[in-house]
């Protein structure tokens, strides 16, 4: 979905390096999410943010941090990358609601940690 | 954690036939379900959703059926086309976040 843009599309890095994955959206949604996708596993939630001052850990937040710089921007950082963080990472957005609302995903960032 | 799975990891259908993709979920508190389509090199794309107060919902060429008694969800695609080839996965939510299945790879044979 071109409304949710992730950069870079691909990244190769070495163990121990710090990297940042960026996400921006033009959908005007308050809620933003970072997921990772591994072969044979469903999408797993890393972090999510319901507004600029709200950051919440997901089920697999260890080794990751996030920053919500603005309503439209949500970045994911790996402070010291390790090989098992090799995965496909997706940013997603959703509208605010009384519960969960459907997610709109970016095209993904394929990260390889050597 | 949640267990959201699919009965078959792959499915092949002839072009023009109907496709049925199944999903089992484990949390009886889940009240919102979504089907996503993911094409190679792309992010998941929303197809259709259904809330637990419904048993069936129809979209364009797609129908989602929800059986809360056996915690089963299915996606039916009518007159399957080559462009339908993709991985399909379901997601469930008990109200706070989504839990995703692993996906079924659908191949449409011309």
């Amino acid at each position: 979905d071109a409304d949710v843009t992730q950069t870079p599309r691909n990244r190769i890095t070495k163990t121990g390096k710090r990297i940042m994955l960026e996400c921006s959206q033009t959908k005007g949604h308050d809620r933003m999410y970072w997921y990772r996708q591994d072969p044979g596993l469903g999408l797993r939630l890393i972090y999510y943010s319901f507004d600029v001052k709200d950051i919440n850990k997901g089920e697999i937040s260890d080794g990751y941090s996030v920053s919500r710089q603005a309503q439209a921007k949500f970045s994911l950082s790996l402070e010291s990358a390790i090989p098992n963080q090799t995965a496909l990472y997706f940013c997603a957005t959703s509208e605010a609601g009384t519960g969960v609302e459907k997610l709109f995903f970016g095209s993904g960032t394929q990260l390889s940690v050597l | 954690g949640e267990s959201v799975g699919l009965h078959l990891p792959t499915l092949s259908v002839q072009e023009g036939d109907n496709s049925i993709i199944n999903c089992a979920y484990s949390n009886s508190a889940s009240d919102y379900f979504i089907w996503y389509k993911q094409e190679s090199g792309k992010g998941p794309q929303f197809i259709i959703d259904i809330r637990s107060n419904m048993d069936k919902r129809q979209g364009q060429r797609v129908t989602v059926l929800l059986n809360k008694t056996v915690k089963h969800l299915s996606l039916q695609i009518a007159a399957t086309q080559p462009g339908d080839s993709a991985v399909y996965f379901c997601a469930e939510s008990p109200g706070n976040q989504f839990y995703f299945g692993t996906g079924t790879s659908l191949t449409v044979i011309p």
Side-chain angles (χ1 to χ4, degrees), chain A residues 23-114:
Chain A
C23 178
S24 63
Q25 53 113 349
T26 58
K27 300 188 77 69
H29 290 168
D30 286 324
R31 299 179 176 183
M32 297 188 74
Y33 309 78
W34 277 103
Y35 286 88
R36 67 177 277 176
Q37 187 176 47
D38 298 274
L41 298 177
L43 289 163
R44 292 182 292 166
L45 183 62
I46 306 172
Y47 270 97
Y48 62 102
S49 169
F50 281 4
D51 64 45
V52 174
K53 295 180 180 178
D54 177 71
I55 300 289
N56 303 282
K57 292 183 177 181
E59 62 180 303
I60 54 163
S61 60
D62 287 349
Y64 302 95
S65 63
V66 291
S67 175
R68 184 80 184 267
Q69 301 95 323
Q71 188 210 33
K73 295 184 182 295
F74 192 36
S75 60
L76 176 71
S77 294
L78 287 68
E79 297 301 324
S80 179
I82 56 177
N84 75 2
Q85 291 177 313
T86 293
L88 183 56
Y89 289 84
F90 287 104
C91 175
T93 72
S94 70
E95 293 185 69
T98 55
V100 294
E101 300 293 334
K102 58 180 175 277
L103 299 169
F104 295 87
F105 288 88
S107 296
T109 295
Q110 177 62 58
L111 174 66
S112 298
V113 183
L114 305 179

Side-chain angles (χ1 to χ4, degrees), chain A residues 9 37 40 45 90 100 103 106, chain B residues 36 38 41 43 46 93 97 102:
Chain A
R9 287 299 310 274
Q37 187 176 47
L45 183 62
F90 287 104
V100 294
L103 299 169
Chain B
Y36 282 94
Q38 187 175 13
F46 171 85
S93 176
Q97 63 175 289
T102 53

Side-chain angles (χ1 to χ4, degrees), chain B residues 38-49:
Chain B
Q38 187 175 13
E39 296 174 277
S40 180
K42 297 184 179 180
Q45 178 184 3
F46 171 85
I47 301 173
I48 192 167
D49 59 359

